């Protein structure tokens, strides 16, 4: 018994506790457009009051007609005036309702944009690690899918509720002249439906939350099946039907749950709705009997019946607005969960290090990814002085890219420290640090922008600077094929937009290289297998170029090509996150270890 009571108290407090986001949503809407919110509020007030006024005028009309029928000198003009006034009020009501709908659609557009921008702005402050975390990704997806429409819906419902509450109060004032019990019946009959609605809204929301991984899988399948980068493999490996089946299976599974909920929701809605119909007809009979007994006039009867009917609609609308607000609040909790995701505070603010001649130093650096136990890097120590180059060699998964992610502060080491110019990376201002580094990852971006922007993206300060594009493209060996394209640097790349031109893998790579070279003041260049799609002559030339251009630059190259690796001042062989061998080409060959073995293996291939 107590348990049951606790349960219901919990349910009720949960219902009301969840309305906490209403204030934030109102604030959001208010700050989005004060003028529109204000207009909406005024029009809502007007539309709240007018229906009762219409019913009240009706009373005088009917009683006027009844009086005219029994009088010897009927006052036709007065009744006709009343009809005219009622028509005027009805027109005003219609006008204010139109006004509400206009304000709502304008606000919807503004607010949708604002919330989407908020979501994207937040995304910019997040860490790479956040995006690699599937639970977080679910939050992001949920926020993006629903939350942009919910704040307005919440506000519309709040205003709708206010409007109905005003109407109801005015009906109640008029109706209580008949009997206060009529008011009690009116409100009481709607309550059961309200609690049922609130419960089902909660269930629907929980379904939505649980489902996020499945929904994301569906979205992913759509991408694989229907986007140009997936199509090749889907066709040649004949994956299509199988992927589509998986898509259908997910839908079918979700649909069963949806159907169950919809059926339960609507059967309960029907049963509880009967209750309020019964209340209405009970009150109807009561009013009719009172009239026949001469208790009230015919005009009053007409008015009470209209009031009761409209009152009931208003109660139903208010209660469904409240349960809708409950639902909106639940969805908004997602948005605010996402927006409230903690962002690590920026620690460092140094823009220069005290000893530039010391270059990059890794001191006993170890790292494991948040989601995994094993160390991706273990006790790495290395030094690159200005003007030197380092090549990293090792099989896939040995930790080479991870090392770069630490250097660029996409992740922070779990043990040890990394120094640049004699200063711990943690003390560097992240933006200043990144300004120093030009990097191309294996999975570099292929932006569906123009060639120029693809290159200019390497340094946003000069993203539109055509002269710099050309210089960078020259260094990245992309200039020759760009100049052959009809629109040169203006050519749209990729197939997503009209007139877009697709490049070969090697050409994309040259564009990405040029992008890295846009950072002309960067003195650290990181090439993470950038050249897999390039011929070996280009690879060596690019590597050489960067070295010879300035004596103070540092280069880190990850490559499986020993013809390039051998040029580096220093070569490190990484195996399972640890340094296995370290030296230059000659010394490593002389050591006759893993490097020598791999080098000879590859050299044999060329003989
Ligand atoms: P390499 O660049 O040498 O091929 P990586 O540095 O990419 O290797 O990967 C090193 C190890 O870290 C691998 O075992 C890989 O599975 C793991 N790893 C890479 N990225 C992540 C990540 N985001 N989360 C968890 N583990 C990762």
């Amino acid at each position: 018994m107590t348990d049951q009571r606790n349960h219901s108290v919990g349910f009720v407090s949960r219902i009301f506790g969840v309305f906490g986001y209403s204030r934030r949503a109102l604030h959001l809407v208010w700050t989005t457009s004060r003028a529109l919110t204000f207009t909406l509020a005024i029009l809502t007030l007007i539309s709240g009051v007018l229906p009762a006024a219409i019913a009240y005028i009706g009373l005088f009309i009917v009683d006027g007609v009844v009086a005219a029928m029994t009088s010897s000198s009927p006052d036709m003009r007065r009744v006709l005036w009343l009809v005219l006034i009622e028509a005027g009020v009805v027109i005003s009501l219609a006008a204010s309702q139109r006004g509400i709908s206009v304000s709502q659609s304008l606000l919807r557009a503004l607010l949708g944009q604002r919330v989407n921008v908020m979501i994207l702005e937040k995304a910019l402050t997040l860490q790479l690690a956040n995006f690699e975390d599937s639970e977080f990704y679910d939050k992001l997806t949920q926020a993006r899918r629903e939350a942009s429409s919910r704040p307005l819906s919440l506000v519309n419902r709040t205003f709708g509720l206010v409007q109905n509450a005003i109407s109801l109060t005015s009906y109640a004032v008029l109706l209580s002249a008949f009997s206060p019990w009529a008011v009690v019946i009116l409100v009481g009959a709607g309550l059961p439906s309200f609690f049922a609605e609130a419960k089902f809204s909660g269930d629907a929301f929980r379904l939505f939350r649980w489902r996020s991984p499945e929904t994301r899988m569906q979205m992913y399948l759509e991408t694989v099946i229907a986007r140009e980068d997936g199509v090749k493999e889907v066709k040649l490996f004949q994956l299509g039907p199988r992927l589509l089946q998986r898509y259908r299976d997910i839908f079918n599974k979700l649909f069963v749950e949806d159907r169950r909920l919809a059926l339960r929701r609507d059967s309960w809605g029907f049963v509880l709705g009967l209750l309020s119909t019964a209340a209405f007809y009970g009150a109807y009979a009561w009013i009719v009997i009172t009239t026949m007994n001469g208790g009230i006039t015919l005009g009053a009867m007409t008015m009470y019946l209209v009031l009761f009917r409209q009152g009931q609609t208003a109660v139903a609308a208010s209660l469904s607005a409240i349960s809708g607000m409950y639902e909106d609040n639940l969805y908004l909790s997602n948005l605010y969960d996402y927006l409230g995701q903690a962002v690590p505070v920026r620690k460092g603010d140094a823009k220069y290090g005290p000893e530039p001649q010391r270059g990059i130093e890794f001191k006993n650096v170890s790292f494991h990814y948040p989601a995994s136990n094993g160390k991706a890097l273990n006790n790495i120590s290395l030094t690159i002085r200005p003007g030197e180059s380092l090549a990293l060699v090792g099989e896939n998964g040995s930790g080479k890219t991870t090392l770069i992610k630490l250097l660029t502060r996409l992740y922070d080491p779990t043990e040890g420290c990394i120094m640049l110019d004699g200063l711990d990376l943690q003390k560097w201002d992240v933006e200043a640090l990144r300004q120093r580094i030009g990097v191309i990852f294996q999975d570099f971006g292929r932006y569906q922008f123009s060639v120029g922007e693809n290159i200019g993206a390497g340094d946003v300060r000069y993203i539109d600077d055509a002269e710099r594009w050309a210089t960078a493209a020259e260094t990245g060996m992309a200039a020759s094929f760009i100049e052959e394209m009809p629109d040169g640097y203006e050519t749209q790349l990729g197939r997503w937009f009209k007139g877009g031109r697709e490049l070969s893998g090697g050409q994309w790579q040259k564009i990405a290289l040029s992008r890295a070279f846009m950072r002309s003041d960067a003195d650290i260049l990181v090439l993470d297998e950038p050249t897999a799609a390039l011929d070996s002559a280009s690879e060596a030339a690019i590597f050489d170029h960067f070295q010879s251009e300035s004596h103070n630059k540092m280069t880190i190259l990850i490559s499986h090509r020993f013809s390039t690796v051998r040029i580096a001042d220093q070569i490190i062989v990484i195996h399972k996150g640890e340094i296995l061998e370290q030296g230059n080409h000659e010394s490593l060959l002389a050591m006759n270890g893993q490097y020598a073995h791999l080098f000879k293996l590859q050299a044999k291939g060329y003989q």
Side-chain angles (χ1 to χ4, degrees):
M1 181 73 195
T2 335
D3 253 17
Q4 209 167 18
R5 192 171 325 127
N6 282 347
H7 180 75
S8 52
V9 167
F11 175 60
V12 171
S13 69
R14 213 169 55 228
I15 288 185
F16 291 100
V18 92
F19 285 101
Y21 294 101
S22 296
R23 205 177 54 79
R24 295 166 90 164
L26 269 176
H27 179 75
L28 190 66
V29 174
W30 172 246
T31 50
T32 299
S33 166
R34 283 158 207 242
L36 281 173
T37 316
F38 190 70
T39 315
L40 200 56
I42 296 289
L43 292 177
T44 305
L45 279 179
I46 296 176
S47 334
V49 178
L50 293 186
I54 295 170
Y56 194 59
I57 298 171
L59 174 143
F60 291 105
I61 297 177
V62 175
D63 281 350
V65 170
V66 172
M69 281 162 39
T70 54
S71 140
S72 51
S73 58
D75 185 357
M76 297 266 279
R77 280 174 64 97
R78 181 169 171 273
V79 176
L80 287 179
W81 264 113
L82 284 169
V83 172
L84 204 62
I85 294 173
E86 186 176 316
V89 178
V90 168
I91 290 173
S92 315
L93 180 62
S96 61
Q97 279 166 347
R98 282 282 164 194
I100 289 179
S101 121
V102 170
S103 317
Q104 281 179 349
S105 40
L106 296 181
L107 260 178
R108 182 171 308 124
L110 291 175
L111 202 63
Q113 167 72 3
R114 168 121 186 254
V115 172
N116 283 328
V117 169
M118 277 162 71
I119 292 176
L120 295 177
E121 270 175 350
K122 176 73 186 183
L124 291 183
T125 66
L126 295 167
Q127 304 275 74
L128 177 61
N130 292 130
F131 290 92
E132 290 175 347
D133 169 5
S134 71
E135 252 175 60
F136 176 78
Y137 219 75
D138 282 344
K139 261 194 215 169
L140 174 67
T141 317
Q142 288 164 351
R144 280 178 49 191
R145 271 184 55 215
E146 280 280 344
S148 64
S149 61
R150 292 285 173 173
L152 182 67
S153 150
L154 183 56
V155 169
N156 285 345
R157 283 179 168 139
T158 311
F159 283 163
L161 182 65
V162 172
Q163 178 188 337
N164 280 307
I166 294 171
S167 301
L168 258 179
T169 317
S170 51
Y171 299 156
V173 169
L174 294 176
L175 205 56
S176 60
F178 175 70
S179 162
W181 284 110
V183 180
V184 175
I185 294 177
L186 187 63
V187 176
L191 285 179
S193 312
F194 163 66
F195 282 109
E197 261 306 303
K199 178 181 170 351
F200 289 122
S201 305
D203 290 352
F205 176 70
R206 273 184 291 282
L207 268 189
F208 166 82
R209 263 212 162 161
W210 284 331
R211 278 170 176 187
S212 206
E214 277 114 339
T215 325
R216 272 202 303 129
M217 177 52 91
Q218 268 195 319
M219 274 160 37
Y220 176 68
L221 289 170
E222 282 170 25
T223 321
V224 176
I225 297 174
R227 218 175 73 177
E228 44 79 60
D229 32 2
V231 167
K232 250 185 296 162
E233 290 207 4
V234 169
K235 284 208 179 308
L236 296 181
F237 291 135
Q238 291 140 333
L239 287 171
R242 171 112 206 184
L243 294 182
L244 191 57
Q245 192 51 45
R246 201 190 275 193
Y247 185 81
R248 283 203 193 97
D249 291 343
I250 295 177
F251 171 79
N252 289 338
K253 179 165 161 261
L254 300 185
F255 182 66
V256 171
E257 292 166 356
D258 274 341
R259 189 174 51 195
R260 196 178 318 133
L261 182 65
L263 284 177
R264 274 196 318 149
R265 201 173 187 158
D266 283 306
S267 343
W268 275 106
F270 175 67
V271 171
L272 298 171
L274 285 182
L275 208 69
S276 51
T277 311
F280 173 68
Y281 279 97
Y284 200 138
W286 181 20
I287 296 172
V288 169
I289 290 169
T290 316
T291 318
M292 289 195 298
N293 289 339
I296 52 175
T297 65
L298 203 55
M301 181 190 94
T302 321
M303 180 184 78
Y304 289 139
L305 287 181
V306 169
L307 287 180
F308 210 86
R309 190 185 293 275
Q310 287 188 352
Q312 209 167 27
T313 320
V315 169
S318 311
L319 295 180
S320 85
I322 294 177
S323 64
M325 282 164 69
Y326 172 73
E327 193 173 308
D328 290 339
N329 261 284
L330 289 173
Y331 285 92
L332 275 181
S333 66
N334 262 338
L335 173 68
Y336 285 104
D337 251 17
Y338 163 75
L339 292 177
Q341 175 81 22
V343 187
V345 270
R346 290 269 176 102
K347 283 171 279 186
D349 57 0
K351 297 201 161 50
Y352 306 95
E355 298 167 88
Q357 74 283 3
R358 282 173 60 181
I360 300 169
E361 295 160 302
F362 276 58
K363 294 186 173 171
N364 307 101
V365 170
S366 297
F367 177 74
H368 66 81
Y369 282 98
S372 63
N373 303 325
K375 285 185 175 173
L377 288 178
N378 190 16
N379 201 20
I380 300 285
S381 296
L382 60 88
T383 309
I384 312 168
R385 302 270 178 238
E388 281 183 3
S389 56
L390 166 75
L392 292 172
V393 183
E395 54 201 37
N396 295 328
S398 56
K400 306 179 296 293
T401 303
T402 306
L403 197 144
I404 305 303
K405 288 186 191 161
L406 294 184
L407 176 66
T408 46
R409 283 207 53 194
L410 291 173
Y411 283 97
D412 294 328
T414 27
E415 286 165 52
C417 80
I418 305 172
M419 318 267 281
L420 175 63
D421 296 352
L423 187 70
D424 191 336
L425 280 196
Q426 301 294 322
K427 299 205 171 107
W428 277 84
D429 171 61
V430 174
E431 302 303 325
L433 170 71
R434 292 190 180 147
Q435 200 63 47
R436 297 265 308 263
I437 305 175
V439 57
I440 317 171
F441 284 107
Q442 267 159 294
D443 49 354
F444 56 84
R446 297 168 187 225
Y447 301 107
Q448 309 266 327
F449 301 147
S450 71
V451 174
E453 284 170 309
N454 259 285
I455 297 175
D459 192 334
V460 283
R461 294 171 301 174
Y462 304 114
I463 191 162
D464 293 322
D465 187 333
E467 243 170 71
R468 283 178 192 255
W469 298 343
T471 320
E474 203 61 56
T475 322
M477 309 188 38
S480 55
F481 76 85
I482 294 172
E483 277 151 21
E484 278 168 22
M485 293 196 276
D487 294 327
Y489 288 87
E490 300 303 325
T491 312
Q492 168 72 32
L493 291 187
R495 288 256 172 248
W496 286 28
F497 300 100
K498 193 161 180 282
R501 197 187 152 106
E502 194 48 271
L503 299 179
S504 75
Q507 286 172 327
W508 270 117
Q509 212 145 39
K510 286 178 177 171
I511 297 274
L513 272 166
S514 311
R515 186 183 310 142
F517 287 122
M518 266 302 279
R519 309 219 126 180
S520 46
D521 35 355
D523 59 346
I524 302 169
L525 180 71
V526 179
L527 307 172
D528 182 356
E529 292 186 51
T531 39
L534 289 190
D535 48 277
S536 32
S538 308
E539 177 175 302
I542 284 167
F543 184 63
D544 221 27
H545 176 94
F546 191 76
Q547 280 309 102
S548 58
E549 192 184 280
S550 155
H551 297 297
N552 277 328
K553 297 205 174 187
M554 293 170 266
T555 319
I556 301 178
L557 170 78
I558 298 178
S559 174
H560 293 293
R561 261 200 203 122
F562 288 87
S563 50
T564 325
V565 168
R566 64 184 295 175
I567 315 173
D569 300 319
Q570 189 187 173
I571 300 164
I572 288 182
V573 182
I574 297 195
H575 183 65
K576 295 192 172 153
E578 299 187 20
I579 294 185
L580 195 66
E581 293 167 17
Q582 192 163 12
N584 63 19
H585 179 69
E586 284 71 30
S587 70
L588 286 175
L589 274 191
M591 226 156 103
N592 211 11
Q594 180 73 357
Y595 179 83
H597 172 70
L598 291 173
F599 178 76
K600 282 174 198 153
L601 212 63
Q602 202 170 80
K604 220 193 265 160
Y606 287 116
Q607 278 166 7

